[in-house]
């Protein structure tokens, strides 16, 4: 039997039925007016799938920076539970990497797409595989799962609990002091900074600006790419 996770104050959990996507459930409940701070999650042994509903009080271009907060929360929770030699990094805009290979992702959606508009809700979801998605080890060398990286003592519900606590802590920092502290924590964990990248489009990933937008240099031109472009349309 899977034990129910314990959530920190200000956050509440709601399990979704098997075969239901927690992210889709979170979006539908957010549209209906569910309380901010509700985490929808699936009980499973093979992966962690969860989604957090927020009710931002800022324009979307600021609210979307919470995606970085959720990534930091996930990295810190993995750091707390995984063996110390297991490195966790980010690949902009939405991938989590463990030991240099993709091991999970984030998703996000809001009820507005205009950067200057105030969203009524923002949903940010995470998905982390615990066991291989295929019976052929090594079939996708750029992808991995937690068990293949030596994290056999971690359960999805333990990671969910830890993620909720670390995410709440960083949400508090974010709301109290803005994006700078989040940026300073996120930047060293991104392993493609200063490098040539192909995704989301070719160029040199120079860094993030004060609004959390990617700075992408192509020849002599530098353009900004916002996380808003990668929000899911609902």
């Amino acid at each position: 039997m899977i034990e129910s996770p314990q959530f920190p104050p200000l956050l509440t959990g709601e399990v979704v039925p098997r075969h239901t996507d927690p992210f889709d459930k979170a979006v539908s409940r957010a549209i209906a007016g569910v309380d901010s701070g509700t985490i929808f999650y699936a009980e499973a042994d093979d992966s962690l799938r969860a989604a957090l509903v927020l009710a931002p009080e800022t324009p979307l271009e600021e609210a979307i920076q919470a995606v970085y907060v959720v990534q930091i929360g996930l990295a810190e929770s993995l750091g707390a539970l995984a063996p110390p030699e297991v490195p966790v990094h980010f690949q902009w805009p939405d991938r989590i990497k463990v030991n240099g290979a993709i091991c999970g992702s984030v998703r996000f959606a809001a009820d507005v797409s205009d950067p200057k508009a105030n969203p009524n809700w923002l949903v940010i979801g995470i998905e982390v595989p615990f066991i291989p998605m295929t019976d052929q080890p090594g079939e996708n060398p750029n992808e991995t799962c937690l068990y293949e990286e030596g994290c056999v003592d971690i359960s999805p519900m333990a990671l969910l609990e830890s993620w909720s606590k670390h995410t709440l802590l960083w949400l508090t920092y974010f709301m109290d002091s803005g994006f700078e502290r989040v940026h300073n924590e996120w930047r060293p964990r991104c392993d493609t900074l200063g490098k040539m990248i192909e995704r989301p489009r070719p160029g040199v990933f120079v860094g993030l600006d004060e609004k959390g937008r990617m700075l992408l240099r192509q020849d002599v031109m530098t353009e900004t790419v916002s996380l808003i472009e990668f929000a899911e349309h609902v």
Side-chain angles (χ1 to χ4, degrees), residues 161-232:
E161 241 180 57
S162 183
W163 170 70
S164 68
K165 293 171 183 173
H166 285 282
T167 297
L168 179 60
L169 178 64
W170 276 94
L171 278 171
T172 302
Y173 294 154
F174 176 49
M175 290 186 289
D176 287 349
S177 53
F179 182 59
E180 184 177 2
R181 184 171 182 176
V182 173
H183 186 189
N184 290 340
E185 183 68 25
W186 186 91
R187 188 171 54 236
R189 297 182 186 272
C190 181
D191 65 357
T192 50
L193 272 177
K195 297 179 181 177
M196 186 74 186
I197 60 172
E198 295 298 323
R199 183 177 180 271
R201 34 191 180 269
V204 176
F205 185 6
V206 178
L208 303 178
D209 70 6
E210 73 282 355
K211 295 185 182 298
R213 297 174 299 193
M214 168 186 264
L215 295 169
L216 187 67
R217 188 169 69 234
Q218 298 166 312
D219 299 322
V220 297
M221 300 291 291
T222 299
E223 66 171 320
T224 59
V225 188
S226 174
L227 283 175
I228 296 171
E229 293 186 26
F230 302 91
E232 298 192 21

Side-chain angles (χ1 to χ4, degrees), residues 35-75:
D35 289 342
S36 176
T38 305
I39 295 175
F40 295 86
Y41 66 95
E43 289 183 326
D45 294 319
D46 61 348
S47 66
L48 169 59
R49 292 184 300 138
L52 169 64
V53 177
L54 298 173
E57 297 179 354
T58 59
L60 182 61
E61 64 181 357
E62 293 177 39
I64 202 75
Q65 296 162 8
V67 171
Y68 297 115
V69 172
V70 166
Q71 292 178 0
I72 293 169
L74 186 53

Side-chain angles (χ1 to χ4, degrees), residues 1-5 7 12-26 38-52 107 124-130 155-161 163:
M1 180 178 174
I2 297 176
E3 290 189 12
S4 296
F7 295 100
T12 56
E14 188 171 316
V15 66
V16 303
R18 195 177 297 274
H19 307 305
T20 298
D21 186 332
F23 184 85
D24 292 344
K25 186 70 170 180
T38 305
I39 295 175
F40 295 86
Y41 66 95
E43 289 183 326
D45 294 319
D46 61 348
S47 66
L48 169 59
R49 292 184 300 138
L52 169 64
R107 305 166 62 186
I124 308 174
I126 60 169
E127 183 164 356
V128 182
F130 275 66
S155 71
M157 292 303 97
L159 183 59
L160 174 61
E161 241 180 57
W163 170 70

